[in-house]
Amino acid sequence: MAKKEYAFYPGCSSQKGASASNYLTSVNAMCKTLDVKITEIPDWNCCSASIGYAEGGELPRHVLNARNFALAEKHLPGQDIVATCAACWLGARESKERLEHSSVLLQDTQEALKEAGLNIKAIPEVRHMVEVLIEDLGWDALSAPVKNPLQGLKFAGYVGCQTNRPFGITGENFENPMYLDKLIETVGGEAVPYDQKVTCCGGALAFSEPDKAQAQIKDIVESAYDHGAEMIVTPCPLCQANVEIYQGQINKKYGTKFHIPVLYYSQLMTVAYGGSAKEAGLDGQVIKAPKLEAIAGKK
Amino acid sequence: MSANAQMATKYKNSFLKEVEEQVEMGEWVKMCMQCGVCSGSCPTNFHPGWEHPPQEIFMMIRAGKREEVLTSPSMWMCTSCYNCIVRCPRKLPITHIMHGLANYAHRLGVAPKMQPTRHFAKLFWNNCVHTGRVNELKLSMGLYFKDGFSQGIKNGMAMKDVALGLLKAKRLNPFELFGGHKCKDQNGIHAMLKKARELEEKRKALKAAA
């Protein structure tokens, strides 16, 4: 039996062929090494992300998350829900908090869920994968499997918004959270201090108002370069995509020469744990990370 | 009478009361002490088009400036970064109030028509509830073709390099156009959301009638 078991909420961006599919690849490899069993919540649905408010409104938004709670309770009783996506985690955790706080919202939610043949008894805990790593496994367990330390590599740990605010990781500071830097160091890399660690990448505005979002992304990438980082690392799929894929457009607009790889913490861990480039999902980088590929095990 | 006119008549003496009863988290507005930390913390603060920062919106609500608030593009600038929430000394859920105001203005049909984030938000919701899961390709296509076919081709061409990069990295699947990922119980999801919308509207109507 695995050391730990969770009801897994991968989220839309992690699906096959979607924008964060390489995140899931690396999470699977990382969890295998750490003996963590994640079982997908059967038939899970989208949380409607942070942009769901405008058309969705309040109750429909919570009901979407509640369906996942009910499915997790029914099929994977007793297991905490774990999400890898920052927005999935935030949205679900927000809904849990509101439903537990308001009997009116909960009552309406139950009535709506009835239409899908479901109901909630007790809402499971909603955790981010990073919480599972730090709180349930602990730093010693995370450093024990390191075979190929990422010696000499300099990373800018980009925490961004939604794994940091409004809930954040317990014990961390909103203005300067340290957990990501500590994760980088745990796998042998160097975390450079820089001033845009918790700056917003623009979120959904990268789609609707690209000029605004790209101005913010430019600040983040520039600061990473200025402080000597060779790569950026993040725990959030939208941060990853926004900061990586628009570098070409930013270069055209601002005359910059950005070309910095943007990775997930789970990719660093997979490589450090002896995984191959493929297992770490490094083939999914739009901007390749040759320095990490060089360390990755050949398989 | 339009939904907007009905609400304006119903709450003619107090826009603050209207916001408290009809807007998600609206009951917090009166707690704002006008310190301005939210405005200084907002990442879109320094961009053009940001008409009123949150603290101004809160004071305008109290001053009864109904039309100026509801038709403002300001709430649509929110990137959901939650910086304002964690810094507010009075612990107002500012992000949610901004979302709530945007949603209310949208439902009443008075939010700015061509506001790009309003358009994208509607597209996103319809996209994700249709099958229960987001179809990223259809979402992007819908966004590019917002202003008609020829503009759509232009927008698509401008994004060509981004799309090709994702395609090569296997993070964009062209076959998503013909179906893609979906939930099994789509009927259940649709029925449950229809019910949720009905219940929410019923609660709001009850408050307005009281």
Side-chain angles (χ1 to χ4, degrees):
Chain A
M1 207 179 108
K3 209 188 288 173
K4 301 272 178 189
E5 291 187 55
Y6 300 92
F8 184 43
Y9 181 29
C12 300
S13 64
S14 269
Q15 297 177 102
K16 193 168 183 289
S19 58
S21 45
N22 57 334
Y23 187 12
L24 182 57
T25 306
S26 61
V27 162
N28 281 332
M30 176 189 79
C31 285
K32 201 173 153 200
T33 303
L34 295 170
D35 198 20
V36 168
K37 188 179 169 198
I38 48 176
T39 313
E40 224 176 278
I41 300 170
D43 210 37
W44 59 268
N45 57 262
C46 174
C47 68
S48 85
S50 21
I51 196 75
Y53 66 84
E55 180 68 24
E58 189 176 11
L59 185 63
R61 220 171 67 229
H62 296 316
V63 165
L64 273 180
N65 283 311
R67 179 174 178 272
N68 293 328
F69 300 156
L71 288 170
E73 258 194 291
K74 185 173 162 188
H75 298 287
L76 302 161
Q79 296 184 14
D80 287 358
I81 293 174
V82 59
T84 38
C85 169
C88 293
W89 175 61
L90 170 60
R93 208 173 139 175
E94 213 163 75
S95 289
K96 174 179 162 72
E97 202 178 89
R98 299 267 194 104
L99 294 177
E100 285 175 346
H101 180 75
S102 160
S103 55
V104 176
L105 266 183
L106 184 62
Q107 186 194 326
D108 286 355
T109 298
Q110 297 282 33
E111 205 178 327
L113 280 179
K114 223 185 282 167
E115 299 287 319
L118 295 165
N119 78 315
I120 293 176
K121 286 174 208 81
I123 301 174
E125 291 301 322
V126 179
R127 324 272 308 279
H128 190 274
M129 181 56 84
V130 165
E131 294 184 291
V132 166
L133 298 180
I134 299 170
E135 293 165 8
D136 296 4
L137 300 177
W139 296 105
D140 291 344
L142 300 182
S143 69
V146 173
K147 278 188 201 149
N148 301 326
L150 311 181
Q151 216 107 44
L153 295 186
K154 292 179 174 182
F155 298 94
Y158 174 47
V159 178
C161 302
Q162 298 196 343
T163 48
N164 184 40
R165 298 180 297 259
F167 299 113
I169 307 299
T170 307
E172 293 284 359
N173 181 304
F174 295 130
E175 307 291 338
N176 187 19
M178 296 308 290
Y179 75 85
L180 192 52
D181 290 355
K182 209 168 165 191
L183 267 179
I184 293 166
E185 285 159 6
T186 300
V187 293
E190 184 187 333
V192 305
Y194 76 120
D195 56 359
Q196 304 284 333
K197 191 193 260 183
V198 295
T199 300
C200 174
C201 69
L205 266 71
F207 299 94
S208 57
E209 299 227 46
D211 288 343
K212 290 193 173 82
Q214 289 182 14
Q216 291 170 208
I217 296 166
K218 177 180 164 279
D219 287 348
I220 296 160
V221 175
E222 203 162 59
S223 174
Y225 269 119
D226 285 351
H227 292 82
E230 299 163 291
M231 291 173 243
I232 296 174
V233 188
T234 178
C236 167
L238 194 55
C239 291
Q240 195 283 334
N242 281 352
V243 175
E244 184 190 38
I245 69 178
Y246 300 116
Q247 286 183 35
Q249 295 204 328
I250 292 170
N251 287 342
K252 272 188 206 153
K253 214 174 285 171
Y254 294 95
T256 47
K257 289 182 183 145
F258 293 166
H259 192 72
I260 191 167
V262 186
L263 299 137
Y264 295 107
Y265 62 92
S266 47
Q267 294 181 293
L268 267 56
M269 294 172 77
T270 300
V271 169
Y273 292 167
S276 67
K278 194 162 192 291
E279 285 166 328
L282 293 181
D283 51 348
Q285 301 308 118
V286 171
I287 296 175
K288 298 286 177 214
K291 287 184 182 168
L292 210 53
E293 282 173 28
I295 297 179
K298 306 269 177 290
K299 264 182 218 168
Chain B
M1 211 196 283
S2 73
N4 181 46
Q6 271 178 34
M7 283 308 190
T9 314
K10 172 74 210 158
Y11 289 102
K12 66 178 180 302
N13 292 323
S14 175
F15 181 43
L16 176 63
K17 188 157 189 260
E18 180 178 351
V19 168
E20 285 174 342
E21 292 188 354
Q22 300 293 324
V23 172
E24 182 174 349
M25 296 279 149
E27 68 276 16
W28 282 87
V29 169
K30 61 177 176 291
M31 294 294 290
C32 171
M33 62 179 187
Q34 293 292 299
C35 73
V37 165
C38 53
S39 312
S41 304
C42 179
T44 53
N45 188 355
F46 306 104
H47 297 305
W50 205 56
E51 213 178 27
H52 305 290
Q55 131 244 16
E56 251 176 60
I57 292 276
F58 296 152
M59 189 48 102
M60 286 162 73
I61 292 171
R62 286 190 267 187
K65 298 201 173 293
R66 186 177 190 277
E67 202 190 327
E68 288 97 315
V69 169
L70 294 179
T71 59
S72 171
S74 303
M75 299 83 80
W76 300 95
M77 300 288 133
C78 178
T79 62
S80 308
C81 81
Y82 294 81
N83 222 4
C84 51
I85 283 202
V86 301
R87 287 186 181 168
C88 175
R90 283 260 171 114
K91 310 274 181 244
L92 267 77
I94 302 172
T95 312
H96 299 298
I97 306 172
M98 291 299 126
H99 292 178
L101 283 168
N103 172 256
Y104 187 55
H106 172 66
R107 291 260 175 103
L108 291 181
V110 292
K113 276 217 165 40
M114 296 311 286
Q115 214 294 325
T117 303
R118 179 187 184 191
H119 173 81
F120 180 67
K122 191 173 158 74
L123 211 59
F124 188 94
W125 177 266
N126 292 341
N127 183 300
C128 83
V129 301
H130 180 59
T131 62
R133 303 213 181 149
V134 171
N135 184 313
E136 290 177 344
L137 184 62
K138 285 186 187 167
L139 184 65
S140 315
M141 300 293 274
L143 188 63
Y144 301 157
F145 288 91
K146 157 177 173 273
D147 301 315
F149 185 73
S150 61
Q151 187 57 43
I153 299 291
K154 271 187 217 151
N155 293 344
M157 288 306 283
M159 293 299 288
K160 187 181 70 189
D161 292 344
V162 173
L164 279 176
L166 285 170
L167 209 60
K168 264 178 27 200
K170 296 200 171 58
R171 283 158 60 190
L172 184 69
N173 178 6
F175 294 104
E176 285 271 307
L177 212 51
F178 312 104
H181 298 288
K182 52 179 179 281
C183 286
K184 284 190 206 106
D185 188 23
Q186 289 174 40
N187 291 340
I189 292 172
H190 295 159
M192 140 193 124
L193 288 173
K194 186 166 168 267
K195 188 70 173 177
R197 180 86 183 234
E198 273 169 30
L199 290 169
E200 185 169 274
E201 273 163 15
K202 208 166 85 187
R203 293 241 180 243
K204 287 191 177 189
L206 273 172
K207 279 185 194 164

